[in-house]
Every structure is written in structure tokens, then in C-alpha cells.
Amino acid sequence: MSTSCPLCEIAATVRAKRERRKDARPGELLAAALELFVEKGYAATRAEEVAKRAGVSKGTLFLYFASKEELFKAVVRENISGRFGEWNVELDHFQGSSADMLRYAVRAWWKHIGSTKASGIIKLMMSEAGNFPELAAFYQLEVIKPGHELLQRIFQRGVDSGEFRAIDQKYGVYTVLAPMLFLATWKSSWAACHDTDMEIDPDQYIAVQIETLLNGLISTAPAHSKTPAK
Amino acid sequence: MSTSCPLCEIAATVRAKRERRKDARPGELLAAALELFVEKGYAATRAEEVAKRAGVSKGTLFLYFASKEELFKAVVRENISGRFGEWNVELDHFQGSSADMLRYAVRAWWKHIGSTKASGIIKLMMSEAGNFPELAAFYQLEVIKPGHELLQRIFQRGVDSGEFRAIDQKYGVYTVLAPMLFLATWKSSWAACHDTDMEIDPDQYIAVQIETLLNGLISTAPAHSKTPAK
Amino acid sequence: MSTSCPLCEIAATVRAKRERRKDARPGELLAAALELFVEKGYAATRAEEVAKRAGVSKGTLFLYFASKEELFKAVVRENISGRFGEWNVELDHFQGSSADMLRYAVRAWWKHIGSTKASGIIKLMMSEAGNFPELAAFYQLEVIKPGHELLQRIFQRGVDSGEFRAIDQKYGVYTVLAPMLFLATWKSSWAACHDTDMEIDPDQYIAVQIETLLNGLISTAPAHSKTPAK
Amino acid sequence: MSTSCPLCEIAATVRAKRERRKDARPGELLAAALELFVEKGYAATRAEEVAKRAGVSKGTLFLYFASKEELFKAVVRENISGRFGEWNVELDHFQGSSADMLRYAVRAWWKHIGSTKASGIIKLMMSEAGNFPELAAFYQLEVIKPGHELLQRIFQRGVDSGEFRAIDQKYGVYTVLAPMLFLATWKSSWAACHDTDMEIDPDQYIAVQIETLLNGLISTAPAHSKTPAK
DNA sequence: GATGAATGAGGCTTCATTCAT
DNA sequence: TATGAATGAAGCCTCATTCAT
């Protein structure tokens, strides 16, 4: 690695540059695909357009993703399902009340998914699930199931510690899911209409939703400590 | 053209029946189109299938609607008819607590909209709003705005009477809207996937949502009467 | 059906003409497809070219045949497998020696398949069987199997009546099949090369083959009558 | 470029090995191409797969052959090498009956051509002759013509010695050629279909064919000696 | 008005070929 | 020379739309 061999250096540089380009391709394509899928829907997005937006040719797209369907799955993995691992770890080490844990989870979701283009995927799946059964099954397995489980963990923790009222396990998670997924869907659907009456400020929306929810959720049984026993 | 030709007579009968049904045609086509657009989305719905379900030929469809896009617009316009006038009158005369009023409104919405084919329109607008801005504007004016106002009246009533905690006027309505619209969308989207984990029982869902919400909404100030002073 | 209703007549004429066209389409397409498949091979034949040669557009082809593969199967059925039924019936009623029966079968094959464009299909299947397993299976079931069975019947008859020497059932049929299928393949392959040395006159070829074969096949056991007992 | 850079040394070694193998490259490519063309046909063989099987990159293939078509032509030319000279000499010195001579020739053909990879060339030429007329002409001159002549010699010898019946000179050779070439073609075509009904055991096949043929060929004139007078 | 056969633009995907490194 | 990422023409198939009847 000393400077004694100029050819080696050049070769290394060249290889590095090409590899940098090659490594960057999938990311660029995934970014372009996310944008277009969200903008126009799965069916209406043309593979060639994804390629063009990523600055490559049609053929190159299929060099990295075997089909439009695989491209979509990769977009979902990159932007959503990939996050659950890290979130679960974070929650494993969470210190604090279950109410704060719920607040934290919702804010994290908003920061990494809800507020980003990835939120469009949620609307997308709602629209297209019926037509693309394989995509629906994939999404259910990689997104919906982990999401439900993650929320159920938080609820269970709150109930176990006496912070939360006993609540139906299955339908309880929807008290959080529904407002969040609705927000994502709404944003994606009506973003184009710039009507100030309709515009939702996510922070206020989330604040009202989560505090009202927690207000209704928190156990009024006086004896319990509000912080988990640890 | 005399009666000497039996075939001519049959033809005449057919023609008569056809003319009698002439005005019905667009209605049948619109109904078929609504079902299919809701089931499969705009892009995946084929003109021929709409025609077949309406019992006419593909050519006839284009006799009544200049294009698939026009058909779609007609479907949405046809099915967005405000039920709001009647509801507002009902609520004007409502006797009882605001909590009950909210419960009543939600149940009514579920009975007349959420559980019917009309909920398909909700999903349709969510899915395609981005691609049909005019329709989106139309829908916003005719459905979204009146809906918000109706809910705001109930919230205001509850706050005025001291039943409800003071809550952000604008974002409060979403605490009801979000779970309901989410339910409508979810139902339409994942109905095809017969996974018991994902199946939502609307009554349980609504019960959990509304009671948790009211729990969080109802003022804890002890002195207030739960019926508005009027 | 009298002339008293001119409209009916016109309508009938119109319908007849359209139906005549519609009914003719598949045949025209099959004829064009046979020619092109034989000329260029399965893979190298483009659907659009088939359509063009049949005088219709690309789309029309797919109106009558769901895919290129189905088109090919239809060509095989139309030109080869469809004949076995009638041949089996003919052989059921055949009167005469088994040698004549074999001669008759070979000549019939030559007349209806070997000498026609259909013989190209034989070469085609040899070339493409490896790549299109479904086509290969189809051809085996609908052509090869019935063909073998038909020949075996003739051989068995000859052996039973004492006309033919006992001969291996399985490999015996190839003594007829091989020269005939070779002829078909040869014709299709080297037809383009107009070298008189190479040119095969089918009648002479068949005559030499079949007579040499029969010479070798006919039982020399003296006691047997050469005509079946019947 | 001094020895101070170990990477450079490695590169030099690689370069040396590469140069040593340089001339081998086309051979490896041709071998790989032969296998694949025979297995899958011309159209279905992908350039990349040829390169991979030869252990080089796609780019290298096109360094040695300007196009897929040129590669194909090179493959065929490379593999059509006449074994005829040597065979003709052998037959010049053959001692024994003409029937045995025919048996010997057929067994030799099977051993050296029919059962080897070279039989793939036969199928290849059959399949693609129409698309590559120059190759067809070449093949005809180098293979077909000498083959015919060789067989004709044997037949003539048998007829001259009185062993064989007088038979049409031109079409007689096909009584041997047809079954043999058919066998080669059949083997290549239906090898993939593992259907025991279709599997041909070459030895049995050849035995039945040749003995039936000889049975039909051998002169029944009793007085003749079976060994030629020489 | 009603039909349904026909059209052809357009989408996904493959793969021979090129070229910067 | 060798590589392999990139290209884009070309093929199969779909389906909105037209139009002769």
C-alpha cells in the first residue's frame, strides 16, 4: 500500500470508483422506485421511468432487481421491515413508564416512516393488496405482523405493571395503529390538495391522539405505581 | 315492416325492451364499475369486465362513457351524495349526553356508510386522489368538510357542557375520524386475505376505540352534570 | 325465410359475412403459423409476423390463441394429432394383407403429413423439445404415443397372422418410423440446398425403404397363408 | 515495476498464466458453445452461459468471436472433421462378407460418431441448416457427400458379389443412413424427457434395424458364396 | 343504439453487444 | 487482454378504444 507501485494505486482507484458506482446503484434505484410507487401507485409506475429517474437505462434496473415485484419488495424491506429489528432492540432496553414507551414508539415511527416518503407505501399496500396477493402476503408477514407484535409488547408491559387498564389485546393495538396509519394514508392521499383547512400538522395531530389515548388508557386504580417495577 | 315476418316482430320486441332499459344502462354500468373499482382499483379494472358485469358489450360502455377515466369520475360523483343534511337535523334534536351523541354518530356512520358499499368510495378516493385532483377537490368539498363540521359540533357541545375536557378543536375530530376511516379502508384492503389474525370484527373494534377515546375525553371534573344544560 | 322482410335478409347476410370472416381467422392464423414455425423454428418465429402473414394485427392473434405456446399446440393438433382418430378407424376396417396395411399406412402418412408443410413440425419438435418441456410433453402425448400404438397394431396383426417374423415389439416400430421421420427431417433441413445429388424423390425413397423392410420382415415360414385368416 | 510491490508480482504471474492460456481460450469457448448449442439450440443458448461454462467473462467471448453467429459457425466448422479418409482405407482392406462389412461400418459409426458428442453436430445441422445456408453447403460437401459415397461402395460390393439383391444405388444407402441419423437426432432431442417408453437402447435399436435390413437385402439366390471373389 | 372483432400503443422482460476501466 | 456494468432493441402480451355491421 506504499507509493512504490503507481499502477497498483491506479488500479485500486479505478476499482474503487467502479465499485462505488455499482454499490450505489441499488440505493439509487430503490430511492427512485419509492418516489414513483408512492406518487403513482404500483401498477401505474413504469419500470423504465424508475430507471430513468435513477439515471440508468431500463436494462440496468433488471440487472439489480429480477422483476417489478421484487423491486417493490426491496423498497418495502429497505424502508419499513428493515427497521423492526433495531426497534425491538431499543424497546428491550427502554427505561421508563409504558406511557413514555408508547410515546417514544409513536414518535420513532413518525420520524423514520410516517414523516418520510415511506409512509406512501402504507397507502400503496392498502390500494394494491387486493390485486397482488403475493405482495399482500409479503407485506403482512414482513410489516403487519411485526408491527402488531411490537405494539402488543408495549401494551402488555403497561398492563402487567398496572399502568394501563386491562384492554382487549387484539383490538387494543388498533387504538394506536389506526390513528397512525390513518395519518400516513391521509398525508399521501390529500397532500396534493393545498387546502389549509384540511392540512394536518403531524405534531399536533399525534400529540392530541396520543394524549387522549393515554388518558383513556391509564389505569385509575390508585394503588399502582405509574413506573414499572423494573 | 308488416307483421308478416316473425323475426321482425321479435326484433321489434327486443328493441322495445332495449329502449325501456335504455335509461337504466348508465346506472347498471356505474354500479358494476363501482364494485370493480373498489375491488380491484382503477388501473386493474378492465373495461370489458365492467361491461360484462353490467350485462352489455364492451362497445356499449364506450357509448355511454367517453373513456375509462370519465367512467371513473362518473362513478365517484354518482356515489358521493351527502347524507349530511339529514344527519345534521337529527343531531339538532338529539337528547342525551354528548358521549352518547358521539356513540350514536359513530354507530350511524357505521350502519349507513362504513358497513355498506359506500365505504368502498372512501378507499377509492384515498387510492386515486393523487391521480384525479379534480375529484379530490370535489370530494373534499362535498364529504370531508361537512364531515368535519358535523363532528366539531358534537365536540363543541361536549366541551361547552363540561362533559369533555377542553381539546384542540381541529385535531380533536380526528380522534374519531381516524379510527373510523381507517376501519373502512382496512376492510376494503385486506378483505381478500383470509387471515384470522387480520380480520377485524367491526363491533368490537368500534367498541374498544370509542370507549377508550371517551375514557380519555370525558372530563374528570367531578361536579358537572353529564347532560348538557341546554 | 321468405323475401317479405328485407331487413332480416340484410341482417342475415351481414351476420353471415362477419361470421365467415371470424370463422376463417383461426384457420388463416394456423396456416401462417405453420409456415413460419417450419421456416424459422419456434423461438425465432415472432407472433407479430404470424399475424401479419395472416393479414391481421398482432392483437388479433391473441384474440384467438392465448399465447404463442397455445398457437403452436393448435398447429400440431390441426396438422398431426387430429389425424390419428380417422386413421385408426380406417385401419379397423382394412381388408388385405398386413404388408399392404403397412404400405397403406406409410403412403397415407406421406400424403397427409410427410409431403405437406406439417412435416416441418417433426423437425421442429426434434429441435425444440429440449427447451420447451411443456411442448415436448404435449407432443409426446398427442403425437408420439398414438403413432407408436398405431404402428404396433399393424406389426402385431402381421405377426399374429404369421405374415411377419416375430420381431421386437418396441424396436420393430422404429424400422418404419426411423426412415419416415428421417425423410421428414431431411426434407425440412436440406430443402434449401438445391443440390441434385442430395435431392430425395420421396416416392422412390419410400418404395425402396418399405420394400426392403418388408422383404426383411415377411415370414419365410412356408406353411402360413400370407393373407390374414379373417 | 520493480519487485518492491507484491501485488505487481501477483499481477505479473496472473498475466503470464493468462498468456500461456491465451491460445486455449477459443478452444474452451468452442467446446462450451458446442455443448450448449447442442443441448439448447442456437436461439436458446445465451452468450453469457457459454462464457461462464468456458470460465471467462462475457466480454472475453466477444473478444474472440465477433458475434453469436460467428461463434456458431466456428463451432460447426471446428467439429466437422472428416473421419472418412481413415474409414475408406479400412474398408479397402476389409475381408469378409458385405453384410459383415455393413455391420462393421454401422458399429464403427456408432462408436466414433453416433455415441459421441459429435452426434450433437448432426442434430445441430439439421436444426439450423435453414438459417445458415453457407454452413449447410459446407456440411453437405464435407460430410454428407463422403458419407454417401462410402456407403455406396459397400452396397456396390454386395451387389457385385451377388450377396445383395440389386437395389437402387442412390436410395439404397438411405436404408442404412436413415435409421442411423434418426437415432442420433432422436437421442439428442428427447434425452431430456425421462420417459421409459421413449428411451432407446442403441444396441438393441441398431441390432433390430440392421438385421431386418440385411434380411431384406440379402440375395436369396442360393448358389452364391457369401464372401466376395475379390 | 348495440355489438364484438379488430387494432396498436404501451408495459415488462431478455439478452446480444459495447466500452470504460 | 480481460472484465462486467450498462445499454437498448426486440419480443410477448394486455387492454382501452374504434368502427363496420
Side-chain angles (χ1 to χ4, degrees):
Chain A
M1 215 58 81
S2 65
T3 59
S4 57
C5 172
L7 273 179
C8 289
E9 278 186 57
I10 291 172
T13 310
V14 159
R15 204 174 318 118
K17 193 187 291 176
R18 182 184 302 172
E19 266 157 28
R20 214 180 310 125
R21 272 181 83 197
K22 194 204 163 184
D23 291 350
R25 285 276 176 268
E28 290 162 6
L29 284 162
L30 286 171
L34 173 61
E35 281 181 20
L36 281 163
F37 280 141
V38 163
E39 272 174 37
K40 323 180 66 152
Y42 180 78
T45 295
R46 283 175 295 124
E48 185 158 19
E49 208 176 345
V50 172
K52 201 198 295 172
R53 190 171 293 196
V56 299
S57 78
K58 200 174 17 170
T60 302
L61 170 62
F62 289 95
L63 216 56
Y64 291 94
F65 302 96
S67 66
K68 192 179 169 181
E69 194 172 312
E70 287 303 319
L71 174 63
F72 182 79
K73 286 186 186 175
V75 166
V76 172
R77 280 204 194 89
E78 170 91 357
N79 291 284
I80 307 194
S81 33
R83 299 204 172 278
F84 284 108
E86 121 191 34
W87 279 345
N88 275 315
V89 171
E90 279 186 58
L91 294 187
D92 281 342
H93 299 93
F94 191 86
Q95 309 277 346
S97 71
S98 293
D100 282 344
M101 200 174 181
L102 199 53
R103 282 187 194 96
Y104 176 80
V106 167
R107 300 272 170 206
W109 174 86
W110 173 251
K111 183 176 171 198
H112 293 294
I113 296 190
S115 70
T116 71
K117 277 172 194 149
S119 68
I121 293 177
I122 292 164
K123 181 205 137 196
L124 200 57
M125 283 309 308
M126 294 255 178
S127 308
E128 311 276 12
N131 302 110
F132 301 90
E134 204 189 313
L135 288 185
F138 164 82
Y139 189 79
Q140 205 177 315
L141 196 68
E142 297 226 0
V143 177
I144 295 180
K145 206 186 231 306
H148 277 229
E149 284 166 2
L150 190 150
L151 277 174
Q152 269 173 339
R153 277 183 59 190
I154 303 180
F155 273 71
Q156 193 60 53
R157 184 177 183 269
V159 171
D160 288 349
S161 72
E163 282 174 279
F164 296 169
R165 294 191 295 118
I167 197 172
D168 181 286
Q169 270 296 320
K170 180 174 175 188
Y171 292 96
V173 300
Y174 286 112
T175 57
V176 179
L177 269 183
M180 293 303 111
L181 298 186
F182 172 80
L183 175 59
T185 318
W186 189 266
K187 253 186 16 125
S188 304
S189 305
W190 310 101
C193 319
H194 297 299
D195 184 320
T196 50
D197 278 7
M198 239 79 276
E199 239 158 53
I200 293 182
D201 175 69
D203 289 324
Q204 289 194 51
Y205 173 92
I206 292 175
V208 171
Q209 291 282 353
I210 203 76
E211 295 314 321
T212 305
L213 167 62
L214 283 172
N215 216 37
L217 209 56
I218 285 170
S219 173
T220 51
H224 272 295
S225 150
K226 291 273 167 100
T227 28
K230 173 78 201 274
Chain B
M1 217 59 82
S2 66
T3 60
S4 58
C5 167
L7 275 178
C8 290
E9 280 185 57
I10 291 171
T13 309
V14 164
R15 205 177 314 122
K17 196 186 292 175
R18 188 184 280 164
E19 270 154 25
R20 227 178 302 123
R21 293 185 50 197
K22 192 169 64 179
D23 295 338
R25 281 286 150 69
E28 287 165 8
L29 283 164
L30 287 169
L34 170 61
E35 283 179 22
L36 284 164
F37 282 138
V38 165
E39 271 174 38
K40 322 178 68 148
Y42 176 76
T45 295
R46 276 172 298 136
E48 183 156 23
E49 209 175 344
V50 173
K52 198 204 290 174
R53 192 173 289 199
V56 300
S57 78
K58 203 172 12 169
T60 304
L61 171 62
F62 286 92
L63 218 55
Y64 288 99
F65 302 96
S67 68
K68 190 182 168 184
E69 196 169 321
E70 288 304 319
L71 173 64
F72 180 78
K73 291 181 185 171
V75 163
V76 175
R77 286 218 177 77
E78 169 88 1
N79 286 280
I80 301 176
S81 65
R83 194 176 280 273
F84 293 104
E86 140 190 14
W87 277 347
N88 274 314
V89 172
E90 276 187 62
L91 293 188
D92 279 343
H93 301 90
F94 190 87
Q95 306 281 342
S97 70
S98 292
D100 283 343
M101 198 174 182
L102 200 53
R103 285 188 191 96
Y104 175 80
V106 166
R107 303 269 171 208
W109 174 86
W110 175 251
K111 184 176 173 197
H112 294 297
I113 305 268
S115 70
T116 73
K117 219 162 48 184
S119 73
I121 295 287
I122 294 169
K123 185 204 153 196
L124 212 50
M125 284 309 308
M126 290 263 176
S127 305
E128 307 294 344
N131 300 322
F132 298 90
E134 329 151 47
L135 283 183
F138 183 73
Y139 185 77
Q140 214 173 309
L141 200 68
E142 297 257 335
V143 177
I144 297 178
K145 211 182 253 285
H148 276 228
E149 285 165 3
L150 191 150
L151 275 174
Q152 270 175 335
R153 278 186 57 193
I154 303 180
F155 272 71
Q156 192 59 53
R157 184 177 181 268
V159 171
D160 288 349
S161 71
E163 277 176 283
F164 295 168
R165 293 190 298 116
I167 199 173
D168 182 286
Q169 270 298 317
K170 182 174 173 188
Y171 291 96
V173 300
Y174 285 113
T175 59
V176 179
L177 266 183
M180 293 304 110
L181 297 185
F182 173 78
L183 175 59
T185 320
W186 188 266
K187 252 186 10 122
S188 304
S189 303
W190 304 98
C193 316
H194 297 299
D195 185 320
T196 50
D197 278 6
M198 299 190 56
E199 240 156 52
I200 292 183
D201 175 70
D203 290 324
Q204 288 193 53
Y205 173 91
I206 293 175
V208 171
Q209 291 282 352
I210 203 77
E211 296 313 321
T212 305
L213 166 64
L214 284 171
N215 215 37
L217 210 56
I218 286 170
S219 172
T220 50
H224 271 297
S225 146
K226 292 276 167 97
T227 27
K230 178 78 202 257
Chain C
M1 215 58 83
S2 66
T3 59
S4 58
C5 172
L7 273 178
C8 292
E9 280 185 57
I10 291 171
T13 310
V14 160
R15 204 174 316 121
K17 193 186 292 177
R18 183 184 303 174
E19 267 158 28
R20 215 180 310 126
R21 272 182 83 197
K22 191 203 163 184
D23 291 350
R25 285 275 176 269
E28 290 162 6
L29 284 162
L30 286 171
L34 173 60
E35 281 181 19
L36 282 163
F37 281 142
V38 164
E39 271 173 37
K40 322 179 67 150
Y42 180 77
T45 295
R46 283 174 296 126
E48 186 157 20
E49 208 176 347
V50 173
K52 201 199 291 173
R53 191 172 293 197
V56 298
S57 77
K58 196 178 19 172
T60 302
L61 170 62
F62 289 96
L63 217 56
Y64 292 95
F65 303 96
S67 66
K68 192 180 169 181
E69 191 171 313
E70 286 304 318
L71 174 62
F72 182 79
K73 287 186 186 174
V75 166
V76 172
R77 281 205 192 88
E78 170 91 356
N79 291 284
I80 308 194
S81 34
R83 299 204 172 276
F84 285 109
E86 121 191 34
W87 279 345
N88 275 314
V89 171
E90 277 186 61
L91 294 187
D92 281 341
H93 301 91
F94 190 86
Q95 309 278 344
S97 72
S98 293
D100 282 344
M101 199 174 181
L102 200 52
R103 283 187 193 96
Y104 176 79
V106 167
R107 301 269 170 208
W109 174 85
W110 174 252
K111 184 176 170 196
H112 294 295
I113 294 189
S115 70
T116 71
K117 278 172 194 147
S119 68
I121 294 176
I122 292 163
K123 180 204 138 199
L124 200 56
M125 283 308 309
M126 294 256 179
S127 309
E128 313 274 14
N131 301 111
F132 300 90
E134 204 188 313
L135 289 184
F138 164 82
Y139 189 79
Q140 205 178 316
L141 196 69
E142 297 224 1
V143 177
I144 296 179
K145 204 186 236 299
H148 277 227
E149 283 165 3
L150 190 150
L151 277 175
Q152 270 174 337
R153 277 184 58 189
I154 303 180
F155 273 70
Q156 193 60 53
R157 183 178 183 268
V159 171
D160 287 349
S161 71
E163 279 174 280
F164 294 169
R165 294 191 297 118
I167 196 171
D168 181 285
Q169 270 295 320
K170 181 175 174 188
Y171 292 96
V173 300
Y174 286 112
T175 58
V176 179
L177 268 183
M180 292 304 113
L181 299 186
F182 172 79
L183 175 58
T185 317
W186 189 266
K187 253 184 17 125
S188 304
S189 303
W190 310 102
C193 321
H194 297 299
D195 183 321
T196 50
D197 277 7
M198 240 78 275
E199 238 157 52
I200 293 183
D201 175 71
D203 289 324
Q204 289 194 52
Y205 173 92
I206 291 175
V208 171
Q209 291 282 352
I210 202 79
E211 296 313 322
T212 304
L213 166 64
L214 282 171
N215 216 37
L217 209 57
I218 285 169
S219 173
T220 51
H224 273 295
S225 151
K226 293 272 167 100
T227 28
K230 177 70 206 269
Chain D
M1 216 62 80
S2 65
T3 59
S4 58
C5 168
L7 276 177
C8 289
E9 281 185 57
I10 291 171
T13 310
V14 164
R15 205 176 316 118
K17 195 185 291 176
R18 193 183 276 163
E19 268 153 27
R20 226 177 303 123
R21 294 185 51 197
K22 193 170 65 178
D23 295 336
R25 280 286 151 67
E28 286 165 9
L29 282 164
L30 286 170
L34 170 61
E35 283 180 23
L36 284 164
F37 282 138
V38 165
E39 270 173 38
K40 324 179 67 150
Y42 176 76
T45 296
R46 277 172 298 137
E48 183 156 24
E49 209 174 344
V50 173
K52 198 203 293 174
R53 192 172 292 198
V56 298
S57 78
K58 204 170 14 167
T60 304
L61 170 63
F62 285 93
L63 216 56
Y64 288 100
F65 302 95
S67 68
K68 189 181 170 185
E69 197 169 319
E70 288 305 319
L71 173 64
F72 180 79
K73 291 181 186 171
V75 163
V76 174
R77 286 216 177 80
E78 169 88 1
N79 285 281
I80 300 175
S81 66
R83 194 175 280 272
F84 292 104
E86 139 190 16
W87 277 345
N88 274 314
V89 172
E90 276 187 61
L91 294 186
D92 280 342
H93 299 91
F94 190 87
Q95 307 280 344
S97 71
S98 293
D100 283 343
M101 198 174 182
L102 200 52
R103 283 188 193 96
Y104 174 79
V106 166
R107 303 271 171 203
W109 174 86
W110 175 250
K111 185 176 171 197
H112 294 296
I113 306 268
S115 69
T116 73
K117 221 163 45 183
S119 73
I121 295 286
I122 294 170
K123 186 206 154 194
L124 212 49
M125 284 310 308
M126 289 262 175
S127 304
E128 309 292 345
N131 299 322
F132 298 90
E134 330 151 46
L135 283 183
F138 183 73
Y139 185 77
Q140 214 173 308
L141 201 68
E142 298 259 335
V143 178
I144 297 178
K145 211 182 255 283
H148 276 229
E149 284 165 2
L150 189 150
L151 275 173
Q152 270 175 337
R153 281 184 55 192
I154 303 179
F155 272 71
Q156 192 60 52
R157 183 177 181 270
V159 171
D160 287 349
S161 72
E163 278 176 282
F164 295 169
R165 294 190 298 118
I167 198 173
D168 182 288
Q169 270 297 319
K170 180 175 175 188
Y171 292 97
V173 300
Y174 286 112
T175 58
V176 178
L177 266 184
M180 292 304 110
L181 297 185
F182 172 79
L183 175 58
T185 321
W186 187 267
K187 251 185 11 119
S188 306
S189 303
W190 304 98
C193 317
H194 297 299
D195 185 321
T196 50
D197 278 7
M198 298 190 58
E199 239 156 54
I200 292 182
D201 175 70
D203 289 323
Q204 288 194 53
Y205 173 90
I206 292 176
V208 172
Q209 290 282 351
I210 203 77
E211 296 313 320
T212 305
L213 166 63
L214 284 171
N215 214 36
L217 209 57
I218 286 170
S219 171
T220 52
H224 270 297
S225 148
K226 291 276 167 97
T227 26
K230 175 81 202 256

